[in-house]
Amino acid sequence: MSKAKLKKHLLSLTKEQITDIVLELYDARKEAKDYLEFYLAPNSNTELEKCKKTIRNEFFPARGFSDKPSFAKCRKVISDFQKLKPEPAFVSDLMLFYIEQGCEYTLEFGDMWEQFYTTLEGNFDKAMRFIFLNGLLDCYYERIEKLIDSVSDCGWGFYDTLQDIYSEYR
């Protein structure tokens, strides 16, 4: 169904019918519940911390060892957070946090496989593009440089690639 058809249908309903639909949606889908709760009482800091905890747990679970963090899950956490439409600074913070966790993971457990680095590099590029397009580079340059410097001894040309990506946006 297109948005136009949906809008036309919703306009034909009473306020009470629309309220019932929204309440059913709230009960039926966790994503809808999260969105509506954020919409009604937006607290970007709380949501950001919740997202950071989920990402951190992918790399450093409270119990045991994560032998293969799920990059897909981390990207979904970021994507779901963006759908809430917080200020770009919050999204930038989360995007960088994700890369920082990957860097900390490789520093903690040694060199990783090539795809690990390639995936982080791609996500670093997305983060840099987002930060640049939202005019936030000045707010994050120290943090970004610290992140890059922290992986100067990593293999697979990881450090050099991060430096190259960063230099595109400076």
Side-chain angles (χ1 to χ4, degrees):
M1 174 184 296
S2 69
K3 281 186 177 181
K5 273 187 172 180
L6 177 61
K7 183 177 181 179
K8 183 177 179 183
H9 180 72
L10 290 174
L11 289 171
S12 72
L13 300 175
T14 66
K15 183 178 179 181
E16 186 175 305
Q17 289 172 315
I18 292 172
T19 301
D20 290 342
I21 290 171
V22 170
L23 291 174
E24 285 178 31
L25 183 60
Y26 180 88
D27 289 336
R29 301 290 304 174
K30 181 186 180 319
E31 296 87 356
K33 179 181 177 183
D34 292 345
Y35 178 82
L36 290 168
E37 286 177 354
F38 187 82
Y39 177 81
L40 295 172
N43 187 334
S44 296
N45 284 319
T46 300
E47 194 63 31
L48 175 64
E49 290 309 313
K50 188 170 95 175
C51 292
K52 283 182 174 183
K53 184 177 180 184
T54 302
I55 290 172
R56 175 93 180 149
N57 195 53
E58 273 307 304
F59 291 96
F60 302 99
R63 292 181 177 205
F65 165 75
S66 178
D67 63 342
K68 196 166 187 185
S70 173
F71 291 118
K73 184 173 182 179
C74 293
R75 284 191 306 270
K76 182 170 178 5
V77 168
I78 294 168
S79 174
D80 289 349
F81 184 62
Q82 283 181 289
K83 289 174 186 172
L84 297 175
K85 303 201 183 328
E87 293 292 319
F90 290 99
V91 176
S92 299
D93 186 2
L94 187 60
M95 293 173 109
L96 284 177
F97 181 80
Y98 166 43
I99 306 304
E100 289 166 338
Q101 295 309 293
C103 292
E104 184 179 336
Y105 184 85
T106 190
L107 293 172
E108 180 77 22
F109 300 112
D111 267 344
M112 297 292 135
W113 54 99
E114 183 179 10
Q115 188 59 43
F116 178 93
Y117 294 119
T118 303
T119 301
L120 281 180
E121 291 162 0
N123 285 287
F124 180 69
D125 188 45
K126 286 179 191 174
M128 288 304 306
R129 188 175 320 117
F130 184 86
I131 290 167
F132 180 78
L133 291 174
N134 285 283
L136 296 169
L137 196 54
D138 287 345
C139 301
Y140 291 101
Y141 80 92
E142 286 180 22
R143 184 172 167 188
I144 293 165
E145 289 182 359
K146 181 179 176 187
L147 180 153
I148 294 170
D149 288 344
S150 74
V151 295
S152 62
D153 293 331
C154 287
W156 300 99
F158 184 53
Y159 170 79
D160 294 329
T161 303
L162 294 186
Q163 279 282 41
D164 290 345
I165 292 167
Y166 181 51
S167 68
E168 291 177 31
Y169 296 97
R170 276 191 286 184

